[in-house]
Amino acid sequence: MTIETKGDTGLLFRFMRQPLSIRVAWASSVATFASVLIILIQVIRTGTDPNNTSAEAFVPSALTAFAVFIAVFGASMLVRAAKINVSRGMAWLIGLVSFSFAVVPWILVSSGHEKIGALLYRGLRIPQGIERFWDMALVLRSVDCDALGFNVFIDNNGCIPDAAIYGPGMLWLHYLPFQIFSFDHVLVLGILAMAISSLSLVWLAKQSSGLGQIVLLIAAMGAPWLLLLERGNIDAALLWIAVGGVFLVRRYPQLWAWSLLALAIWVAGTWKYYPFAMGLMLIPLFKIRRGWIVIAGWTIATLIYVISTWGNFKFSMQSNTNMIEIGDYVVLGRVPVVARMFGSEFPSNGLQLGDFLVVLLAMAALAWGVSIGMSRREQQKHVSMLAAAGSAIFLASVLVGGFGWAYKATFLLLCIPLFGWLGSQLERTAVAAGFISLGLVAVSSIVVWNTLLASLAGIVAASFGLGLSLCFLLKPVLKFKLKRTWRRQTGTAVPVHGA
């Protein structure tokens, strides 16, 4: 009897003939998927723990997540090529859907039709705030109280009931003329924020492929995005900074434009600290003459601010910890995921096995993104800047900080132009990675009833996007530096590169 193994040997031989980056990409994608399954199995094991009274809720959500990840990874791996063409009006449709879905319930509630508005909010799975633009109202009240001389960073300060949890930089808004950022203007500012955010989606859609635009359309109707607009949350400003900054430096590739972007990122960091992670957008400055001056100035200013407000930073982190919830509604984070695993404790006194498993998952996805980026020769500077910003602030909040409300998932929308481009490539590993990442962003953009699924999908997509975008941003810089060093050593003139 003869056993024929030619097919298997041929498959293995073809795999080994692939470039190293392709082989690493396949291996890291498998490692990412395996890490997800290990985490989900740890959650399913809670069903065997008689002391865990929450297992009844955790196991079904884990099984759902299990099925969704298998579907996303399995279907994407079977796609060899895909190209979706959409009309030019698609981008504007996305913006219209975003603004309409956000403003119509608000108009109903504001015009006295509270019951209909509440039903619509419930249908969209948005927990209605106790007042219109609740998050924005809290910020603007703090700004007004600070202008009157109250210390808003302590409880029972005589002006607002609870201490403000934002950074001191947020209070600088009261120095702007005409008291623009006063609680008296909360309704106008809230509607304006809805419009600007919707226009930001239009611009993102114009930078995205057809498939990416479809994901953006889904996200525009998703609870995380609509919750961001309903609350008037200041996180929307981070999306505006990323979009506006890339638009500015692409249109005006001069040092002054990059300086404005650096200043905007720094100011946002003084509000919530984790937006400092958006500084990764400044990496291309290393390739620009005298660009290092902007980076050095930004870095020094950031260090000075963090050190001088270290007490407030620790208070802000503690406030975030105090807000942590592990329920299955509008919640994201490493901590809720770990709390669901077998043998974990909540609240915990330190790192647990589950924390290391989630970090391992993020590292595998990061390596996957880097390997895919190394296999591409194209330069995708501007969309990589967007992806670096979105993935970095998502991970800073959800993975490192450990907890965030569902609207943190909107940061992942900045990755869609890059993921969409990847999905339109011809090479199979790139296409699969693009489809998987877009699929996970779509899951994070609509799921608010399964914390486990939404959190893991977001962490994988963000980690992959961070690795991919950093690879695209760093490769030209490192290549430029090596070439510049070589030419200096050989006495050859060094050309001056623009942005």
Side-chain angles (χ1 to χ4, degrees):
M1 182 176 67
T2 303
I3 300 176
E4 180 63 51
T5 61
K6 183 177 179 180
D8 295 335
T9 305
L11 180 63
L12 178 62
F13 180 71
R14 288 197 300 272
F15 177 77
M16 295 305 297
R17 288 188 61 186
Q18 295 288 331
L20 177 62
S21 57
I22 298 295
R23 283 180 280 160
V24 173
W26 282 115
S28 52
S29 65
V30 171
T32 301
F33 183 63
S35 299
V36 171
L37 296 188
I38 290 172
I39 291 173
L40 294 178
I41 289 172
Q42 282 294 93
V43 178
I44 293 172
R45 289 183 65 200
T46 58
T48 65
D49 185 358
N51 299 319
N52 192 336
T53 57
S54 302
E56 249 181 63
F58 293 167
V59 173
S61 62
L63 292 173
T64 300
F66 204 105
V68 171
F69 272 99
I70 289 177
V72 171
F73 273 78
S76 299
M77 288 295 182
L78 296 176
V79 176
R80 292 184 177 272
K83 186 175 182 181
I84 299 177
N85 295 319
V86 296
S87 67
R88 294 181 179 180
M90 182 67 166
W92 290 103
L93 175 63
I94 293 170
L96 179 62
V97 168
S98 167
F99 187 75
S100 300
F101 274 54
V103 78
V104 168
W106 182 89
I107 291 176
L108 289 172
V109 172
S110 300
S111 61
H113 299 84
E114 291 89 350
K115 187 175 182 180
I116 300 177
L119 289 174
L120 190 52
Y121 277 125
R122 192 180 305 172
L124 295 171
R125 303 193 70 83
I126 303 172
Q128 191 176 350
I130 61 175
E131 63 178 311
R132 290 167 291 179
F133 304 120
W134 188 11
D135 291 356
M136 182 180 289
L138 293 174
V139 171
L140 297 182
R141 284 195 180 100
S142 298
V143 172
D144 287 343
C145 291
D146 180 70
L148 294 173
F150 292 93
N151 183 359
V152 298
F153 293 114
I154 60 174
D155 290 323
N156 303 316
N157 51 63
C159 190
I160 53 177
D162 299 316
I165 62 174
Y166 297 111
M170 183 69 70
L171 304 179
W172 300 343
L173 293 174
H174 81 255
Y175 292 111
L176 295 177
F178 310 115
Q179 295 184 324
I180 297 174
F181 293 98
S182 169
F183 178 74
D184 295 336
H185 306 140
V186 64
L187 298 184
V188 174
L189 292 174
I191 294 294
L192 184 62
M194 286 182 175
I196 296 174
S197 298
S198 298
L199 288 175
S200 297
L201 279 193
V202 172
W203 188 85
L204 281 175
K206 290 185 176 182
Q207 318 309 310
S208 304
S209 65
L211 183 60
Q213 291 190 26
I214 292 175
V215 175
L216 281 171
L217 179 61
I218 294 172
M221 298 180 285
W225 177 257
L226 297 177
L227 180 64
L228 178 78
L229 302 189
E230 189 274 341
R231 289 292 195 270
N233 193 274
I234 202 67
D235 279 349
L238 306 185
L239 301 176
W240 308 343
I241 290 171
V243 167
V246 169
F247 174 82
L248 183 67
V249 299
R250 188 165 65 180
R251 188 175 182 87
Y252 305 102
Q254 283 89 35
L255 210 56
W256 66 265
W258 285 93
S259 300
L260 288 178
L261 173 58
L263 177 62
I265 294 172
W266 184 82
V267 170
T270 66
W271 296 346
K272 289 192 171 186
Y273 293 100
Y274 69 82
F276 282 130
M278 295 176 69
L280 295 175
M281 296 180 71
L282 304 177
I283 289 176
L285 275 169
F286 284 111
K287 196 178 175 183
I288 301 174
R289 186 179 182 184
R290 297 191 182 90
W292 66 269
I293 298 176
V294 177
I295 293 179
W298 181 87
T299 303
I300 293 171
T302 298
L303 291 175
I304 290 174
Y305 178 80
V306 173
I307 293 172
S308 62
T309 62
W310 186 250
N312 186 272
F313 172 76
K314 292 191 293 184
F315 170 75
S316 181
M317 291 295 292
Q318 183 61 43
S319 299
N320 185 70
T321 301
N322 294 336
M323 289 191 299
I324 290 178
E325 295 185 11
I326 60 172
D328 273 319
Y329 199 50
V330 297
V331 172
L332 295 171
R334 166 182 51 82
V335 173
V337 170
V338 173
R340 287 162 163 73
M341 293 190 204
F342 183 80
S344 296
E345 295 180 356
F346 179 81
S348 65
N349 295 321
L351 295 177
Q352 306 180 78
L353 173 62
D355 293 293
F356 291 103
L357 291 178
V358 176
V359 171
L360 180 65
L361 169 65
M363 292 177 62
L366 182 75
W368 183 20
V370 171
S371 60
I372 290 291
M374 292 299 294
S375 68
R376 305 285 92 196
R377 293 185 179 181
E378 304 88 337
Q379 292 187 18
Q380 298 294 319
K381 182 175 72 174
H382 294 111
V383 292
S384 293
M385 288 172 61
L386 292 170
S391 57
I393 54 181
F394 179 90
L395 292 173
S397 178
V398 175
L399 178 64
V400 179
F403 171 78
W405 299 105
Y407 50 70
K408 301 294 183 186
T410 60
F411 296 150
L412 297 176
L413 302 185
L414 294 173
C415 300
I416 287 181
L418 182 59
F419 291 167
W421 168 84
L422 193 63
S424 63
Q425 300 299 293
L426 298 178
E427 205 278 315
R428 190 173 179 182
T429 53
V431 173
F435 269 71
I436 291 172
S437 54
L438 284 174
L440 295 179
V441 171
V443 169
S444 298
S445 298
I446 58 176
V447 173
V448 290
W449 42 264
N450 190 329
T451 295
L452 183 66
L453 172 58
S455 298
L456 291 179
I459 289 172
V460 172
S463 301
F464 174 82
L466 184 63
L468 180 65
S469 59
L470 286 182
C471 187
F472 281 132
L473 292 176
L474 287 171
K475 274 200 303 184
V477 171
L478 296 176
K479 189 179 298 184
F480 171 71
K481 293 297 182 183
L482 290 173
K483 185 183 296 184
R484 190 171 184 177
T485 301
W486 169 258
R487 289 179 174 175
R488 278 180 175 174
Q489 291 175 349
T490 57
T492 309
V494 182
V496 176
H497 288 248

